[in-house]
Amino acid sequence: MQNEINIPIILDAVRKVGNVFLKDYKQNAIPQSMDELLKQLEDIDTLCLTSLKEDLSLEFPNIPWHIGDEFDTDSQRNPVEEEEYWLCDAMDGAIQYLQHIAGWTINLALIRDGKPFLSVIYDPLANEVFWAKDREGAFMNGKLLQISRKTDLGVMLAVFEYGHQDKSNNNLNEKIGTTITKLLNNFGIVRNYGPHGLQLAYVGAGRIDLFVQEDLDTYNWIAGLLIAKEAGAEILTIDGNPWKWGSESLLVSSKSIAEKYLQIKSQK
């Protein structure tokens, strides 16, 4: 295990590949078939992982790499059985990128002992780098992050998300629908934005007040979770229990806002 972590090198590597994608943004032909879509997604993964490995291998030669495949439900239930590894979500919001829409980031997390130890989220369009290290705070472009201090639900921004699991046999669509209805009935502003990790970083920055998701989506969450947590957010399941790797729901907000939401959720 590499005890000393050179954070600037990591931030530079993530920013570098993000800027490569920024240069090519809207230059692709929007995919018109599943084959075209899958090919372009594969190309994104390959370019991102190749660049990051190239820039970080000299500084971190013994840390292995794993791609966070959000379509692989089973692999998201437990961390990889390695003491330390990079978990790369090559592009969170890749669909937006391919559709020429804003809302895509480069996410990288260093997992140590089954927990995120360091994470980085780079939004090239906004030129914002969010990052956090375990027990050392969360930052955006060098500025310390702080979660929302709002108390009035009427001025709070709540977001909901969903993953790529098969929702046909577990009533997930119905659960998500109920969640959205309760959000609409109680929060002043409700949105669905797209890049999961960035939304969690926005909770850490006080830009989003509440993040809710009903299904399993570990790989999309993991980089943003550490940022939100280090900024002071509660990391819970939808039932108010402490979130752990493999939990099949997520609730992230300040403690007081989480308590308000859980009271709303318990109402029939």
Side-chain angles (χ1 to χ4, degrees), residues 116-119 131-139 144-147 200 204 223-235 252:
F117 178 75
L118 175 79
S119 66
W131 67 274
K133 185 180 177 184
D134 185 41
R135 301 182 185 182
E136 293 190 14
F139 305 85
L144 186 68
L145 296 183
Q146 186 175 43
I147 58 174
L200 293 169
L225 284 179
L226 183 61
I227 294 169
K229 175 178 175 289
E230 287 296 313
E234 297 284 306
I235 312 297
V252 180

Side-chain angles (χ1 to χ4, degrees), residues 19-31 40 96-101 104:
N19 288 338
V20 170
F21 284 113
L22 180 62
K23 181 180 178 181
D24 292 336
Y25 181 44
K26 299 185 179 181
Q27 301 306 304
N28 66 292
I30 295 176
Q40 291 194 39
Q96 287 92 280
Y97 182 85
L98 296 179
Q99 292 290 135
H100 302 179
I101 298 172
W104 50 275

Side-chain angles (χ1 to χ4, degrees), residues 70-84:
E70 63 200 71
F71 294 94
D72 186 347
T73 300
D74 290 339
S75 72
Q76 302 192 63
R77 298 190 185 283
N78 296 286
V80 176
E81 292 184 358
E82 294 185 33
E83 188 176 44
E84 185 175 53

